[in-house]
Amino acid sequence: MGNIVAIVGRPNVGKSTFFNRLTQSRDAIVEETSGVTRDRHYGNTEWNGIYFSVIDTGGYVLDSEDVFEEEICRQVELAIEEADKIIFLVDAMEGLTDMDKDVAALLRKCKKTVFLVANKIDTPIKIAEAAEFYSLGLGNVHAISAVNGSGTGELLDELVDDMENEPEEEEHDIPRIAFVGRPNVGKSSLINALLGKERNIVTDVAGTTRDTIYTRFNAFNFDLELVDTAGLRKKGKVYENIEFYSTLRSVRAIEKADVCILMIDADHGIESQDLNIIHLIQKHNKGLVIACNKWDLVEKETNTHLKFEEQIRKRIAPFHDVPIIFTSVLNKQRIHKTLEKAVEVYNNRTRKISTSQLNEHLLEIIQQTPPPTATRGRFIKIKYITQLKTYYPSFVFFCNRPQDLKDSYKRFLEKHIRNLWNFEGIPITMYFREK
Ligand code: GDP
Ligand code: GDP
């Protein structure tokens, strides 16, 4: 199980307020780069040292009176299917409503852990107002105020209590590659073109967990497991809100994969949803390959692909050391290349640099361009570097005054690591510790 938490509930109970409280300051990077907060429906957060993903289902609901009851129930069903834990928010100021009862009925049937949370309890006197929600039959009622934060600490303590930090990757020998991206970019088409046949689509039973599907791909000298997110096209069930569903699937697939092939539509370029996905891939320390698909639709002049590449790299900065491939599934152009690159990136992810190599090369660079002196005029000295035994590349720099080291200098170090060794497509984690 991963650490995916979905916030569900009817409109105006405070879902996005609570979501923002959980993710805001910590997710500032996404906001900065995308420039859009409105469509930010999921983020990462941390409590007691445990990282988890939060999905705000509310952002997807169309605010029109007659459709929403049905729409909300559908969101809840999807959340049940895809999330690990569910926070069901109700409004203590308004009290129990029929819609709350309908949502509760769905949640009572599911096997996921549900936290029933009465929001808008801004003062202790109001805690009594939470009592009526016990009748929903979902156990304990957590009283919180999303606006001032009271009660949220206790709720989060319980929420993360049995979560593992960094959901440990399941043991597996065969590289796992996920195709992620917005609806309609060509994920299913690509997978079908690779597999050469229509895949079996596993039918799901309502209210049960449907784990992401792995398809063994053993052909053309590849031996891989493809992590299916494109299983979106479920026969007989057409989701109006494909975007929401694909987000849920992507979050799960990213957790399961070693390397993600993010497909974008050449016609649209990188969109803010894509940046969210990249951010998530980075947070989970997974590999990334960008496939710019539908290349056949683009009118080309000299160097068109270089210009595209440059634009993409600008958008995804600072994590721009990423392979970008221009594909056309329609014309069968470079579709195997996506997998070749993914395998390269997989290998980069397992790359281990010996301590002696690291110190020999990096200490010299550091000596030539030492860290700028700290504010109080003290020198920062990096003495020793070593790579940790994590399943993704992470490095520790032992130094005095690590807290004074500037971000710009950290980026300088990362740039040199990338110049010296091949970590293309891989986020690099760096720790600075006092020895
Ligand atoms: P959503 O539709 O469920 O995402 O709800 P919002 O987060 O947009 O909140 C709906 C309204 O409830 C907004 O006006 C919020 O300011 C208000 N609200 C949210 N949480 C609280 C709270 O803890 N206390 C009070 N008094 N108001 C809240
Ligand atoms: P998914 O939602 O990401 O799985 O996207 P699909 O694989 O269902 O593709 C969406 C649409 O884009 C379909 O009509 C495909 O035929 C079309 N499509 C996929 N790849 C290409 C391509 O390389 N070029 C063009 N022109 N159309 C494509």
Side-chain angles (χ1 to χ4, degrees):
M1 276 290 100
N3 295 348
I4 302 175
V5 178
I7 307 172
V8 305
R10 58 185 184 79
N12 282 319
V13 294
K15 292 184 298 300
S16 56
T17 309
F18 185 53
F19 173 84
N20 286 338
R21 167 166 286 281
L22 287 179
T23 58
Q24 212 156 46
S25 56
R26 298 164 174 120
D27 232 20
I29 313 158
V30 172
E31 282 182 53
E32 245 175 64
T33 47
S34 67
V36 189
T37 48
R38 214 169 359 98
D39 65 346
R40 211 166 48 84
H41 307 306
Y42 64 88
N44 278 272
T45 189
E46 174 266 328
W47 185 257
N48 290 349
I50 305 276
Y51 285 87
F52 58 98
S53 308
V54 198
I55 299 165
D56 171 17
T57 61
Y60 293 90
V61 177
L62 302 168
D63 233 346
S64 116
E65 290 293 331
D66 41 336
V67 290
F68 75 30
E69 162 98 51
E70 199 190 330
E71 183 91 352
I72 284 160
C73 289
R74 184 161 15 245
Q75 308 286 356
V76 172
E77 282 173 351
L78 293 175
I80 290 170
E81 235 180 88
E82 297 295 334
D84 298 304
K85 295 193 175 177
I86 295 170
I87 291 180
F88 173 30
L89 221 57
V90 291
D91 184 336
M93 230 144 80
E94 205 177 311
L96 189 57
T97 71
D98 287 343
M99 210 189 285
D100 292 335
K101 290 179 192 163
D102 292 344
V103 172
L106 290 172
L107 292 174
R108 277 197 306 269
K109 283 189 295 189
C110 83
K111 297 197 174 71
K112 302 287 168 77
T113 314
V114 177
F115 292 83
L116 172 57
V117 178
N119 186 35
K120 309 195 185 179
I121 302 199
D122 301 334
T123 60
I125 311 165
K126 296 202 162 164
I127 286 180
E129 288 174 18
E132 64 173 318
F133 294 102
Y134 279 94
S135 68
L136 290 174
L138 286 166
N140 193 20
V141 184
H142 300 78
I144 69 157
S145 166
V147 160
N148 69 27
S150 70
T152 55
E154 290 88 336
L155 170 63
L156 291 174
D157 284 346
E158 240 185 87
L159 182 78
V160 303
D161 186 44
D162 58 352
M163 281 185 187
E164 285 173 51
N165 203 11
E166 304 192 34
E168 200 50 47
E169 293 186 354
E170 297 162 54
E171 286 286 324
H172 60 279
D173 303 325
I174 302 170
R176 286 185 179 162
I177 315 293
F179 295 87
V180 296
R182 305 194 61 168
N184 270 325
V185 292
K187 297 182 296 295
S188 316
S189 307
L190 178 58
I191 293 177
N192 286 336
L194 288 168
L195 297 181
K197 59 175 166 18
E198 283 293 318
R199 289 157 304 142
N200 297 327
I201 292 168
V202 176
T203 48
D204 53 281
V205 184
T208 60
T209 318
R210 190 162 46 83
D211 265 330
T212 311
I213 303 151
Y214 305 107
T215 308
R216 183 83 173 257
F217 182 68
N218 194 337
F220 307 105
N221 289 326
F222 291 111
D223 191 8
L224 305 168
E225 280 175 358
L226 306 184
V227 186
D228 180 15
T229 60
L232 296 171
R233 290 294 142 62
K234 295 198 292 183
K235 289 179 185 130
K237 243 191 189 182
V238 181
Y239 291 118
E240 286 136 47
N241 211 328
I242 297 256
E243 181 83 52
F244 170 74
Y245 190 56
S246 89
T247 300
L248 285 177
R249 298 289 294 185
S250 299
V251 175
R252 168 72 73 212
I254 290 166
E255 279 193 359
K256 297 280 182 190
D258 301 304
V259 178
C260 302
I261 298 176
L262 171 64
M263 290 187 80
I264 62 170
D265 186 325
D267 247 3
H268 300 163
I270 294 260
E271 299 178 83
S272 60
Q273 230 15 45
D274 298 321
L275 293 174
N276 280 329
I277 291 179
I278 292 175
H279 183 60
L280 208 64
I281 291 169
Q282 246 183 303
K283 280 265 175 167
H284 286 285
N285 294 297
K286 306 296 183 164
L288 171 64
V289 173
I290 294 178
C292 188
N293 192 37
K294 307 197 187 182
W295 194 233
D296 53 281
L297 297 179
V298 173
E299 269 194 51
K300 290 163 208 77
E301 295 159 27
T302 347
N303 292 336
T304 303
H305 77 280
L306 291 178
K307 282 176 200 146
F308 263 73
E309 247 194 76
E310 196 187 308
Q311 273 170 14
I312 293 172
R313 284 191 209 286
K314 254 192 210 145
R315 286 279 281 159
I316 65 174
F319 180 35
H320 47 50
D321 183 19
V322 170
I324 300 170
I325 302 161
F326 296 88
T327 59
S328 166
V329 178
L330 191 75
N331 297 342
K332 298 240 189 303
Q333 265 183 315
R334 286 181 285 272
I335 58 177
H336 284 111
K337 185 92 184 160
T338 57
L339 291 183
E340 277 167 31
K341 273 288 167 197
V343 171
E344 267 177 54
V345 166
Y346 176 85
N347 291 331
N348 293 345
R349 189 165 183 255
T350 56
R351 192 174 306 289
K352 293 276 182 285
I353 314 298
S354 71
T355 301
S356 60
Q357 285 276 308
L358 277 171
N359 285 287
E360 185 184 320
H361 293 283
L362 286 175
L363 286 183
E364 196 181 311
I365 291 165
I366 290 166
Q367 214 160 33
Q368 276 163 17
T369 313
T373 16
T375 26
R376 276 147 291 165
R378 297 235 185 80
F379 288 101
I380 306 170
K381 191 163 164 43
I382 296 171
K383 292 164 195 155
Y384 180 74
I385 306 132
T386 187
Q387 183 172 359
L388 294 174
K389 287 195 174 61
T390 44
Y391 51 82
Y392 53 85
S394 59
F395 301 90
V396 197
F397 291 73
F398 290 102
C399 55
N400 62 331
R401 318 190 61 79
Q403 70 282 5
D404 288 339
L405 209 61
K406 298 240 163 46
D407 282 344
S408 56
Y409 197 75
K410 293 177 187 173
R411 284 195 296 274
F412 166 84
L413 292 173
E414 176 170 345
K415 194 184 85 188
H416 280 283
I417 292 178
R418 291 186 183 280
N419 285 345
L420 285 160
W421 301 284
N422 187 358
F423 286 112
E424 192 184 30
I426 300 296
I428 290 178
T429 310
M430 298 192 294
Y431 301 99
F432 298 87
R433 289 199 193 130
E434 195 133 27
K435 181 134 200 194

